[in-house]
Amino acid sequence: MNAPHPASLSASVQRIELPTGTLDLRIDSGAAELDALLGFAARANAKRGFLFLSKVLGKHWPARPIDMLMVHERLAATVPPLGGAVQGPVVFIAMAETAIGLGQGVFEAWLRAHPGQQALFLHTTRYRVGNGPLIEFEEAHSHAPRQFLHAPLEPGLQALLLAARTLVLVDDEASTGNTFVNLAAACRRLNPGLERVHLATITNFMGRTATDALDSRFGIPVTSGALIEGEFTFAQGALPPDQGAAQRYQEHADRGASTDFGRLGSARALRAPEGLAARLAGEFAPGSRVLVLGTGEFMHASTLLGAALQRRGVDVVVQSTTRSPILTWGAVDHALTFPDNYGEGIANYLYNVAPGQYDHVLACHETAPGPALHQLARLLDARLFHFQSEDHVEEVPVR
């Protein structure tokens, strides 16, 4: 894949010339892992013309499940231990759409490392599900700024949320911290007993001064853990072409988003589809290259399927479709466009995947099968797998 060639301004600062502007980046820690974890891309977004593109997220870049799970464990280990004056459950919230799978993986890794301790997982979303209460907040720099957090409806999960004393916010990157501040404030209105916040991110480019000032911005003690840390500045250049609407929210529209995979909360790890993986692994010829493809906000189940296939010796990578418009440049050398399977009528994209690149493509989705998914299947010669629940997965005929 093509990659930009950063120019070194000093021993610690790189300059990346993008089609949309100039990015200056200082790396304070994690420089040895920079190329393995991160690429640079140009966004078709006038609010922010660059993208720190994670190579271990399973979103815009093909990632091996074992590498993703290792990152989950490393970020889970950055959460400060419970003890002393800080007790009570821990609430993990993953940021839609890019970091939903990352956040659920970090939550599950933390559960494995802390057996018997209580925790709740939620992820933000751009869809309403059910009629229960929700919190709206803004991701100001996003192409689709409106985000929602649903309160759990199940009494036990409600109790966990309201008893929590630690809030862990998970995203692929922290650049300004503004979205985290907005969400944490909303959570504290819901649960005034929250005593501390931890930010778990693959990269933290807020800079030392801004990171040190988080306590005052959040109003409670804040810690952070990241695999790469530093600071950036970006000089906006030519505005990218208008990509059209990236969000068409209608309050009462049912977009087919599931209530079973984290929007209304979960207090346990998602079960991997071991039976499906065993069957599929037996069908693939030795040496077959396999892509397990998540769709939109539905990501973690596809990662677990990919990991189950990898344990059975399959050469597999994981990725996901997205609503993020990104230019073909730098860490993005191929882009496919197709309708969204949630029925909003917006463009969706798949990056760094070309038709015919893989011997098998397994597209995993939470929404009912429809024309958009069938178009995606034809485009990639893919098989469709409808996850109606974690234990009920049906293959959808596409021919």
Side-chain angles (χ1 to χ4, degrees), residues 91 93 95 124 135-138 149 161 166-170 177-199 214-215 217-222:
V91 174
I93 300 179
M95 307 298 289
T124 68
I135 294 168
E136 179 174 355
F137 66 101
E138 185 171 274
L149 181 69
L161 178 60
T166 299
L167 175 64
V168 179
L169 302 179
V170 184
N178 293 337
T179 305
F180 285 143
V181 170
N182 293 342
L183 178 55
C187 291
R188 292 184 67 198
R189 289 192 293 271
L190 187 65
N191 174 5
L194 287 169
E195 297 175 1
R196 64 177 181 176
V197 174
H198 181 74
L199 309 182
L214 289 174
D215 288 9
R217 291 186 67 192
F218 280 77
I220 55 176
V222 180

Side-chain angles (χ1 to χ4, degrees), residues 9 24 34 46 68 80 85 100 196 244 258 279 295 314 326 363 374 398:
L9 300 185
D24 287 339
L34 183 65
M68 298 170 68
I100 289 174
R196 64 177 181 176
S258 175
R279 176 170 67 82
T295 45
V314 176
I326 307 173
H374 282 273
V398 295

Side-chain angles (χ1 to χ4, degrees), residues 81-150:
L82 302 179
V86 180
Q87 298 291 338
V90 180
V91 174
F92 290 77
I93 300 179
M95 307 298 289
E97 75 177 358
T98 303
I100 289 174
L102 175 69
Q104 197 157 6
V106 171
F107 160 74
E108 293 182 358
W110 189 91
L111 285 180
R112 290 193 296 271
H114 301 85
Q117 294 194 12
Q118 292 184 308
L120 172 69
F121 171 74
L122 290 161
H123 72 74
T124 68
T125 179
R126 291 186 171 92
Y127 311 108
R128 171 182 272 282
V129 294
N131 297 311
L134 56 76
I135 294 168
E136 179 174 355
F137 66 101
E138 185 171 274
E139 185 180 10
H141 67 263
S142 174
H143 48 282
R146 297 183 70 180
Q147 288 216 45
F148 307 97
L149 181 69
H150 291 78

Side-chain angles (χ1 to χ4, degrees), residues 34-45:
L34 183 65
D35 289 341
L37 297 178
L38 189 65
F40 303 99
R43 287 160 53 114
N45 179 354

Side-chain angles (χ1 to χ4, degrees), residues 18 30 50 105 149 184 196 198 211 214 217 331 346 384 389 392-393:
L18 296 87
F50 64 94
L149 181 69
R196 64 177 181 176
H198 181 74
T211 299
L214 289 174
R217 291 186 67 192
I346 61 173
L384 298 177
S389 71
H392 184 191
V393 183

